[in-house]
């Protein structure tokens, strides 16, 4: 089942305990980010209120005791998109209360993580985020079946990751 609109947004509104995202791609081509990504590449300042709606969502969940966690796989050199994330998006997400972690696979083998982006809600529901090779999202698909592998991938990702703040110390992003 493909998810869009309010049906998709309901997962972020209604989860009870936790939302976890595994990000595996090095570049995402999201229409809603095109202007700010272009501005970042041009050396512009981050606009006031950047991502403020998402930050409000994070803050509300954090205040209610619900966790939002991401683990992003990276390989150096960082892509322009990863530099954009690390300069503009992630710091403000972390400040709002998101637990954002980095799994750097530059000099080591993949510890068994998939090549599939996904969100997991309350460790019961998994949604695949499907992308073209250029990072353009194709769709969001509710995963049917056994989620045991996703629970293991979450465990591996968190065990192998370092907090964002630790990862970027001394890094020029």
């Amino acid at each position: 089942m493909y998810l869009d609109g309010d049906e998709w947004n309901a997962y972020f509104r209604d989860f009870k305990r936790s939302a976890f995202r595994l990000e595996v791609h090095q570049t995402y081509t999201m229409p809603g980010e095109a202007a700010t990504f272009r501005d970042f590449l041009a050396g512009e300042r981050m606009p006031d209120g950047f991502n403020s709606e998402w930050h409000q969502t994070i803050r509300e969940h954090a205040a209610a005791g619900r966790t939002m966690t991401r683990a992003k796989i990276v390989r150096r050199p960082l892509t322009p998109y990863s530099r954009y994330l690390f300069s503009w998006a992630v710091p403000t997400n972390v400040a709002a209360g998101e637990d954002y972690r980095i799994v750097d696979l530059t000099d080591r083998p993949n510890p068994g993580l998939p090549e599939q982006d996904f969100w997991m809600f309350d460790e019961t529901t998994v949604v695949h985020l499907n992308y073209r090779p250029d990072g353009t999202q194709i769709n969001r698909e509710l995963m049917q079946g056994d989620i045991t592998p996703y629970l293991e991938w979450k465990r591996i990702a968190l065990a192998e990751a370092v907090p964002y703040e630790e990862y970027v110390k001394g890094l020029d992003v």
Side-chain angles (χ1 to χ4, degrees):
M1 173 206 276
Y2 296 110
L3 301 171
D4 207 4
D6 191 55
E7 192 172 37
W8 169 236
N9 292 330
Y11 285 92
F12 291 98
R13 183 181 59 239
D14 299 338
F15 73 88
K16 305 292 184 226
R17 295 177 311 283
S18 65
F20 170 80
R21 165 90 185 264
L22 180 66
E23 296 180 344
V24 303
H25 294 280
Q26 302 306 293
T27 298
Y28 295 92
T29 307
M30 305 301 289
E33 295 176 339
T36 55
F37 183 49
R38 185 178 52 247
D39 290 347
F40 168 78
L41 292 175
E44 301 291 329
R45 278 187 56 247
M46 183 172 61
D48 292 337
F50 176 74
N51 256 357
S52 61
E53 287 181 38
W54 181 246
H55 299 148
Q56 185 60 35
T57 297
I58 295 168
R59 282 191 294 275
E60 288 171 4
H61 286 303
R66 296 182 291 268
T67 61
M68 296 185 77
T69 305
R70 290 194 213 210
K72 177 164 181 54
I73 295 173
V74 299
R75 291 173 184 85
R76 286 172 277 134
L78 296 177
T79 63
Y81 185 83
S82 289
R83 289 189 294 99
Y84 162 73
L85 280 182
F86 289 1
S87 295
W88 283 20
V90 178
T92 53
N93 289 2
V94 169
E98 185 175 27
D99 180 7
Y100 200 101
R101 301 178 188 202
I102 308 300
V103 180
D104 190 329
L105 298 181
T106 302
D107 298 320
R108 63 186 179 130
N110 185 322
L113 295 170
E115 295 295 321
Q116 173 68 56
D117 277 58
F118 65 87
W119 274 101
M120 183 185 329
F121 300 94
D122 294 326
E123 297 191 338
T124 60
T125 303
V126 174
V127 176
H128 283 182
L129 305 173
N130 299 313
Y131 295 91
R132 291 182 183 90
D134 72 351
T136 303
Q137 190 173 75
I138 300 167
N139 57 38
R140 293 174 291 270
E141 184 177 10
L142 183 62
M143 203 289 286
Q144 305 291 324
D146 184 15
I147 68 161
T148 303
Y150 298 89
L151 294 168
E152 179 63 6
W153 292 328
K154 176 184 176 183
R155 185 197 66 73
I156 292 168
L158 295 178
E160 298 287 331
V162 298
Y164 163 79
E165 298 93 339
E166 181 180 326
Y167 183 77
V168 297
K169 282 182 186 169
L171 222 127
D172 183 29
V173 291

